[in-house]
């Protein structure tokens, strides 16, 4: 018998979980965008769009609360935006899971690096860079 203490997760287990997390996130995002796109094509197919001027505030789905409100109403544009949010937050979830896996392994240098990367991602997603 070996007196060696086994880690909670082996490195291979963590790699499989992270790969599955990324794969499921991308597939879920793609599915939500596809459903929203189909709903948009069937509901708003006759609407004329003016491409000469661009106004990003016209969509009304530029914030997370607005997107969630649109999801309650099954608005096709909100469903597409939600799929895009899923795609954006998939790598964020990967970084968060990596931080917890490094905490379990007691690898504190990589926990600090992961927290630094997470803070950069969250800062870049905030409105502080838009001005």
């Amino acid at each position: 018998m070996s007196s060696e203490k086994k880690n909670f997760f082996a490195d291979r287990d963590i790699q499989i979980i992270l790969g599955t997390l990324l794969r499921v996130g991308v597939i879920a995002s793609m599915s939500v965008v596809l459903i929203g796109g189909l709903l948009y094509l069937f509901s708003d197919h006759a609407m004329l769009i003016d491409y000469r001027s661009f106004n990003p505030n016209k969509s009304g789905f530029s914030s997370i609360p607005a997107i969630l409100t649109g999801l309650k109403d099954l608005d096709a544009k909100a469903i597409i935006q939600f799929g895009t949010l899923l795609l954006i937050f998939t790598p964020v979830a990967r970084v968060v899971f990596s931080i917890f896996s490094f905490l379990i392994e007691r690898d504190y240098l990589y926990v600090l690096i992961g927290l630094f990367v997470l803070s950069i991602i969250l800062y870049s997603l905030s409105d502080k860079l838009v001005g």
Side-chain angles (χ1 to χ4, degrees):
M1 273 206 216
S2 170
S3 64
E4 188 177 314
K5 198 163 97 173
K6 185 179 184 316
N7 285 341
F8 188 71
F9 285 117
D11 287 339
R12 177 109 173 106
D13 295 335
I14 292 173
Q15 289 175 5
I16 290 171
I17 292 170
L18 286 175
T20 304
L21 176 70
L22 290 173
R23 196 175 308 114
V24 167
V26 170
I27 290 171
S29 170
M30 178 184 63
S31 301
V32 169
V33 169
L34 180 66
I35 290 168
L38 290 173
L39 285 173
Y40 182 76
L41 285 176
F42 289 123
S43 64
D44 296 331
H45 60 84
M47 187 171 53
L48 294 175
I49 299 173
D50 182 20
Y51 290 108
R52 290 177 288 185
S53 63
F54 175 72
N55 186 359
N57 296 326
K58 268 186 174 178
S59 72
F61 300 112
S62 57
S63 68
I64 293 176
I67 293 170
L68 294 177
T69 303
L71 282 177
K72 289 178 189 173
D73 300 333
L74 290 177
D75 189 334
K77 293 178 188 175
I79 294 172
I80 294 170
Q81 285 291 85
F82 182 70
T84 306
L85 278 180
L86 282 177
L87 187 63
I88 290 170
F89 287 123
T90 297
V92 175
R94 183 208 188 283
V95 172
V96 169
F97 182 80
S98 296
I99 291 170
F100 283 118
S101 68
F102 290 135
L103 271 173
I104 290 171
E105 293 179 357
R106 293 186 176 94
D107 199 347
Y108 299 116
L109 175 64
Y110 286 108
V111 169
L112 287 175
I113 292 171
L115 287 172
F116 180 69
V117 169
L118 184 63
S119 65
I120 289 173
I121 291 171
L122 293 178
Y123 180 75
S124 68
L125 290 175
S126 72
D127 290 337
K128 304 254 189 284
L129 293 179
V130 180

